[in-house]
Every structure is written in structure tokens, then in C-alpha cells.
């Protein structure tokens, strides 16, 4: 496989992969502060601005649902070049209805989790197809418009996607619209050299998108983009999928556990018994030769 550094890039042409969080449980929890219709109005204006900045720019939209994810828009296709907004909204509505039908039997407390790991994988697969299409291709980047809480069960898959994006020199930008920060997306933007932002005023979402995330990779070298105040690098254990500060690591496959295990559930390696210090035995006073 040809290394990424040897590929020829066009100067300021972008391939923007936009991952839109369509988790119905999340949008139902924030419908009073940010209805999904208003959110899509900001997003559509932003996508139109990206295409207007350069006629060679390409935009691909992936819907990130609760049970599934799918490509819903590609500006390079004939459908994406005419009646852009109508086509995107129609495909998005079809996807949301399909995703809601899959999760009707699930009982979810709170906003639930969206399938971020799946949409990241699909975005990276599309970018790899573009890499192999020819020596001249646009600068690829990923923009995550995310609101759902982090799903601890997706930790391994998301970290694999992050390292794959880092190796391919694909930055992951993150715009978090939920109530809490996303530790996964903080790490994704930090590791891949992207921009992480949590807008303070969602009514001005389009202004945040157009001033921070509309800039191409070539222009970012001349701008002072926002930097996160702190990044949460804590990992999730493989046994209970909980975020931990300290734990046990398998020396063979680097799996993380919150408690000592007899056997690694990932690779099957057998662990030794953790040493236990007996505090009941008093420490013996070391004999001084001068006292003999």
C-alpha cells in the first residue's frame, strides 16, 4: 500500500465527511432547547457554504443512529448536485424512520448511545476508496456533529478508528451539541490533529460551523482555531465497559480490566496471582551488628 505521505493532494480542495447524530432518544431529550428541525437548518446552510467555497469540494453525510448508520448524501452524485436540500432531508427522514423501527422494542433510559464507531468506520472506508481512486484527490477530514453520551461498549472500535485516521493523516473535527463533553471525541480530535468545540450558544450553531469548521486544511495553518482546555484520556475497562482511572492491563494484547482477572477475555492469556501483602505479620527489626 502506498504511504499517505507520497500521495499528491490538491491545494485547497476538501472532502468533508459529516457524521450527523440522529439518535431519536437524544433528540427527544433536547427538543425544548434545540429541535432537530432547527439543527438541520444550521447544518444545511453550512453544507451549502462548503460547496460554494470551492466548486471541487465534496461533501458526504453519514447518519449516526441508535442501531445503525448509513450514507445519506454525496455531493458528487447526480442527486447531490440538484435539489441538494430536498434530497438530503428525504434520505434522512427515511433513515430515521428505519432506525426508529429497529429500536421500538428497546427500553432506553435517558438519551442513549449512538453508533459512533460504525459511522467513523464508514467514513474511513469511503476516504480509503478516494485515496485509491488516483494520485490527485482532495484533502479528507471528518466532522462529527454529536450529541449523545459516549457508549463505553464502543471504546475499542472507536479507538481503532482514531488510530486508523491518525495513520492516514485524516483529522477528526468534533462539534458536541450535547449537555456533556465527549471524552471519545476529545481524544479523537487531539490524536488526529482536529478541532474540538462545544458551542456555548446553540442558537448560533451556523456561526460556529462556518467560522471554525469551514476552513480547509491548507488555511488552518494561518488561523488560530480553538483548542480544548483539557482532554480526558481515561480508558474504559473491557470487562464492565466503565471509565476507570487505574486498572490492570494484559501484557499480550493490552486489554484493560478494572479488577484482577485469572484469564484475559480477549486473547486468553493466563494471568498470575496478584501479590497480596500480609499486614498482620509485624516487621522484624533488622539486627544492628553494633548491638551484638
Amino acid at each position: 500500500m502506498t504511504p499517505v505521505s507520497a500521495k499528491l493532494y490538491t491545494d485547497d480542495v476538501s472532502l468533508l465527511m459529516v457524521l450527523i447524530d440522529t439518535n431519536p432518544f437524544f433528540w427527544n431529550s433536547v427538543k425544548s432547547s434545540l429541535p432537530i428541525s432547527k439543527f438541520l437548518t444550521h447544518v444545511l446552510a453550512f453544507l451549502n457554504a462548503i460547496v460554494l467555497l470551492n466548486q471541487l469540494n465534496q461533501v458526504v453525510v453519514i447518519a449516526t443512529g441508535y442501531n445503525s448508520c448509513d450514507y445519506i448524501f454525496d455531493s458528487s452524485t447526480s442527486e447531490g448536485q440538484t435539489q441538494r436540500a430536498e434530497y438530503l432531508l428525504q434520505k434522512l427522514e427515511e433513515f430515521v424512520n428505519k432506525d426508529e423501527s429497529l429500536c421500538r422494542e428497546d427500553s432506553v433510559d435517558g438519551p442513549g448511545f449512538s453508533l459512533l464507531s460504525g459511522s467513523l468506520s464508514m467514513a474511513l472506508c469511503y476516504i480509503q476508496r478516494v485515496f485509491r481512486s488516483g494520485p490527485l484527490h482532495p484533502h479528507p477530514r471528518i466532522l462529527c456533529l454529536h450529541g449523545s453520551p459516549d457508549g463505553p461498549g464502543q471504546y475499542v472500535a472507536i479507538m481503532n478508528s482514531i488510530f486508523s485516521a491518525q495513520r492516514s493523516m485524516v483529522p477528526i473535527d468534533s462539534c458536541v451539541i450535547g449537555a456533556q463533553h465527549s471524552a471519545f471525541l476529545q481524544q479523537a480530535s487531539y490524536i488526529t490533529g482536529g478541532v474540538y468545540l462545544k458551542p456555548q450558544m446553540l442558537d448560533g450553531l451556523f456561526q460556529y460551523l462556518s467560522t471554525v469548521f469551514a476552513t480547509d486544511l491548507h488555511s488552518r495553518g494561518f488561523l488560530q482555531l480553538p483548542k480544548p482546555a483539557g482532554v480526558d484520556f481515561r480508558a474504559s475497562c473491557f470487562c464492565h465497559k466503565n471509565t476507570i482511572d487505574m486498572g490492570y492491563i494484559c501484557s499480550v494484547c493490552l486489554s484493560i480490566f478494572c479488577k484482577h482477572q485469572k484469564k484475559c477475555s480477549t486473547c486468553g492469556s493466563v494471568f498470575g496471582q496478584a501479590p497480596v501483602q500480609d499486614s498482620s505479620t509485624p516487621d522484624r527489626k533488622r539486627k544492628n551488628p553494633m548491638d551484638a
Side-chain angles (χ1 to χ4, degrees), residues 37-88:
S37 58
K38 189 174 183 179
F39 167 76
L40 292 177
T41 301
H42 294 293
V43 174
L44 286 173
F46 169 69
L47 297 182
N48 287 328
I50 293 294
V51 177
L52 289 173
L53 284 174
N54 193 316
Q55 62 179 354
L56 297 179
N57 282 350
Q58 182 181 351
V59 175
V60 178
V61 180
I62 300 177
T64 309
Y66 178 78
N67 280 303
S68 60
C69 48
D70 196 7
Y71 301 101
I72 61 172
F73 178 77
D74 190 343
S75 62
S76 63
T77 61
S78 57
E79 295 85 355
Q81 295 177 357
T82 59
Q83 298 182 345
R84 187 178 301 118
E86 293 80 0
Y87 178 76
L88 190 152

Side-chain angles (χ1 to χ4, degrees), residues 189-206:
S189 298
Y190 180 84
I191 293 174
T192 61
V195 179
Y196 177 90
L197 179 67
K198 188 178 185 303
Q200 299 298 323
M201 299 178 62
L202 295 179
D203 290 337
L205 182 60
F206 172 71

